[in-house]
């Protein structure tokens, strides 16, 4: 965050760090490094899921990966994205202006992000309900229910059809969650990339390259775990992985182009406002998706975790540990990025 009143020593140190040529060289290196680490992070869970698919522990392993992913995404939103959004809009260059000093816009836009994610969820759920999963089955011989006549001898087959319909609805829900999650993460990645691309401070960029590499690995593991469980076709999986991998590098290039065209660096008030608003929106989306569509859905509605036997209890504990590890890993990175 820029300081409106800077001491002489700090000003000299800041001036020494501002080297456009050195910063441009570091940013070009970061494009390649961050792309490779993003590919590594997101492809790991997807390739493991493809390899272990059909094996006895496949479903349990994917569930544990997904719980780790939920922790990563929740930590990303609360420890990384939201504080940075508040910080950008609280910068003295922004907070001294109207209307930014009159109202907590970061919190408002985060709320809008949460409500928007809920609206998308409700709309998609209603669409899935009308799309074929909404038939009602009542075991009464000879009564026509939901367009099917459920006579004796056909009930077992009809029940099997219902179970298949329910499984398909669950898959559709998982696909929706993965897609909305990717939208929220892409917002976040664009902000990271553009901010880094506009910066001319080599002292800031150098440690950021290492920190963001780890950041992209963990975030990729999170999103990759959700994509793996959703059961997309191979082409869709490749497209989603590629979109995640290229977004931050493209953001860096876009930031460099913005600086070249306008002279705005990452401390320009207009850049700070845009960063704060986009960060708040993506934070709201990620908070909703992590809490409602990942954590609550798995811990309270997944059949493998709601069974009362010993295996269900052990798996629940393992998933909770994975959730804590995912949250802790991503939170720890806030020390550097």
């Amino acid at each position: 965050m820029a300081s409106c009143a800077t001491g002489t020593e700090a000003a000299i140190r800041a001036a020494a760090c501002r080297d456009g040529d050195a910063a441009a060289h570091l940013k070009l290196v970061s494009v390649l490094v961050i792309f490779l680490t993003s590919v590594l992070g997101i492809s790991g869970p997807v390739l493991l899921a493809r390899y272990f698919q059909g094996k006895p522990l496949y479903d349990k392993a994917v569930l544990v990966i997904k719980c780790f992913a939920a922790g990563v995404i929740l930590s990303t939103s609360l420890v990384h994205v939201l504080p940075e959004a508040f910080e950008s809009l609280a910068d003295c260059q922004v907070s001294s202006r109207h209307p930014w000093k009159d109202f907590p816009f970061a919190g408002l836009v985060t709320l809008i992000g949460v409500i928007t994610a809920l609206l998308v969820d409700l709309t998609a759920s209603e669409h899935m309900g009308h799309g074929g999963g909404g038939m009602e089955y009542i075991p009464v011989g000879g009564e026509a229910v939901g367009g099917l006549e459920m006579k004796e001898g056909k009930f077992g087959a009809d029940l099997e059809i219902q179970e298949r319909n329910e499984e398909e609805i669950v898959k559709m829900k998982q696909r929706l969650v993965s897609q909305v999650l990717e939208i929220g993460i892409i917002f976040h990645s664009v902000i990271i990339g553009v901010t880094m691309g506009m910066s001319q401070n080599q002292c800031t960029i150098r440690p950021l390259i290492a920190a963001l590499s780890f950041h992209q690995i963990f975030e990729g593991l999170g999103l990759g775990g959700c994509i793996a469980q959703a059961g997309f076709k191979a082409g869709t999986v490749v497209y989603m992985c590629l979109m995640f991998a290229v977004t931050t590098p493209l953001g860096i290039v876009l930031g460099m182009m913005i600086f070249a065209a306008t002279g705005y660096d990452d401390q320009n008030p207009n850049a700070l406002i845009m960063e704060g608003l986009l960060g708040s929106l993506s934070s709201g989306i990620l908070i909703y998706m992590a809490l409602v569509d990942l954590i609550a859905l798995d811990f309270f509605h997944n059949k493998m975790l709601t069974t009362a036997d010993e295996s269900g209890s052990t798996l629940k504990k393992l998933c909770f540990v994975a959730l804590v590890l995912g949250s802790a890993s991503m939170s720890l990175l806030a020390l550097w990025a």
Side-chain angles (χ1 to χ4, degrees), residues 75 110 282:
S75 176
T110 301
S282 64

Side-chain angles (χ1 to χ4, degrees), residues 3-14:
S3 175
C4 294
T6 316
T8 306
E9 186 181 339
I12 293 170
R13 189 167 59 248

Side-chain angles (χ1 to χ4, degrees), residues 120-302:
V120 170
D121 225 355
L122 290 173
T123 305
S125 299
E126 185 179 357
H127 174 71
M128 286 186 287
H130 290 310
M135 288 190 292
E136 185 182 359
Y137 294 88
I138 303 173
V140 180
E143 252 185 67
V145 182
L148 290 178
E149 192 175 317
M150 302 192 61
K151 297 180 180 176
E152 291 182 18
K154 290 183 65 182
F155 178 62
D158 290 332
L159 194 59
E160 189 179 339
I161 292 171
Q162 184 184 15
E163 287 174 357
R164 280 204 302 268
N165 285 338
E166 288 175 354
E167 287 174 7
E168 185 58 33
I169 288 174
V170 169
K171 280 291 181 190
M172 290 173 70
K173 175 71 172 176
Q174 288 167 348
R175 289 167 191 161
L176 174 70
V177 168
S178 301
Q179 289 165 340
V180 177
L181 267 178
E182 178 145 35
I183 291 170
I185 288 172
I186 281 175
F187 270 134
H188 173 46
S189 298
V190 167
I191 294 164
I192 291 173
V194 170
T195 304
M196 187 172 176
M198 291 172 70
S199 176
Q200 301 302 301
N201 189 325
Q202 60 171 326
C203 301
T204 302
I205 295 170
R206 192 176 289 112
L208 265 182
I209 296 174
L212 287 179
S213 297
F214 284 104
H215 179 279
Q216 291 300 101
I217 287 174
F218 283 119
E219 208 166 66
L221 286 172
L223 182 59
C226 297
I227 292 172
Q229 195 182 38
F232 289 107
K233 292 180 180 177
T236 306
V237 171
V238 171
Y239 172 75
M240 292 182 75
C241 291
L242 188 62
M243 281 295 292
F244 170 78
V246 302
T247 304
T248 302
L250 285 178
I252 293 171
V253 174
L254 179 60
M256 294 172 73
M257 291 169 62
I258 291 172
F259 176 77
T262 65
Y264 286 179
D265 65 6
D266 57 329
Q267 299 303 328
N268 182 274
N270 294 328
L272 289 167
I273 290 169
M274 186 59 64
E275 181 183 338
L277 294 179
L278 285 176
S280 300
L281 184 66
S282 64
S283 177
I285 293 171
L286 293 175
I287 289 170
Y288 175 87
M289 300 306 291
L291 290 175
V292 178
D293 282 334
L294 295 177
I295 296 173
L297 195 66
D298 282 335
F299 279 92
F300 297 107
H301 302 288
N302 191 298

Side-chain angles (χ1 to χ4, degrees), residues 5 16 29 53-54 77 89 100 102 110 134 137 155 188 213 224 242 255 284 296 319:
V29 170
Q53 193 163 15
S77 58
L89 295 180
W100 308 103
D102 303 321
T110 301
Y137 294 88
F155 178 62
H188 173 46
S213 297
L242 188 62
C319 286

